[in-house]
Amino acid sequence: MSRATLITRYVAFAIVAVVVNLAVQRVVLLGGETALWFTLALGVGTLAGLVVKYVLDKRWIFYDRTAGTAAQGRQFGLYSLMGVVTTAIFWVTETAFWLIWNTDFARELGAIIGLSIGYITKYQLDRRFVFTERAT
């Protein structure tokens, strides 16, 4: 796969995951606007985006063919672990924007900025530690 194709796909998949994440957050935030609801929205949205991004990356970025429940579970665990630091970047950025401006627009802008930085970092970690047997 060419570098341009890789970048285009990765950015497109990141956008899909961000949209899923933010859509799930909005649904959860319909329950309330307290710190508890905000925290729940962050967590549930992050999980939804993580699963979508994993499936897309596995198939279309890294061409991974790992099979079997145990192997895929281990791989998803590693994929999730690589996301811990990058998720912290996203959460801190989104939360800071929300606390400073206290608007949905600012919160979502912070999420997009944080997720963008996180995804760039995550690709490098995934390539090095998670999807080590690439077909490219």
Side-chain angles (χ1 to χ4, degrees):
M1 164 175 27
S2 73
R3 185 177 181 100
T5 300
L6 171 68
I7 291 169
T8 300
R9 282 185 186 177
Y10 199 79
V11 168
F13 297 161
I15 290 168
V16 168
V18 167
V19 169
V20 167
N21 185 322
L22 294 177
V24 169
Q25 282 191 34
R26 282 188 173 203
V27 170
V28 172
L29 287 170
L30 291 174
E33 295 183 11
T34 66
L36 179 62
W37 281 104
F38 177 74
T39 303
L40 182 63
L42 279 177
V44 175
T46 299
L47 181 60
L50 176 72
V51 170
V52 167
K53 187 79 166 61
Y54 171 75
V55 170
L56 293 171
D57 284 355
K58 178 178 176 64
R59 170 66 178 97
W60 295 102
I61 298 297
F62 298 104
Y63 298 104
D64 183 74
R65 295 188 179 173
T66 301
T69 305
Q72 288 190 54
R74 180 181 174 280
Q75 188 176 57
F76 183 73
L78 281 172
Y79 186 84
S80 299
L81 182 62
M82 295 302 122
V84 169
V85 171
T86 59
T87 297
I89 293 167
F90 149 53
W91 283 359
V92 166
T93 307
E94 180 175 357
T95 302
F97 275 57
W98 183 61
L99 291 173
I100 293 167
W101 291 285
N102 200 24
T103 67
D104 285 336
F105 176 79
R107 177 185 58 77
E108 290 179 355
L109 179 61
I112 291 166
I113 292 168
L115 285 165
S116 298
I117 294 167
Y119 280 138
I120 291 167
T121 304
K122 186 150 179 20
Y123 171 79
Q124 296 300 324
L125 292 170
D126 290 340
R127 190 180 79 162
R128 183 166 180 190
F129 298 111
V130 179
F131 301 105
T132 56
E133 296 181 27
R134 293 181 304 281
T136 56

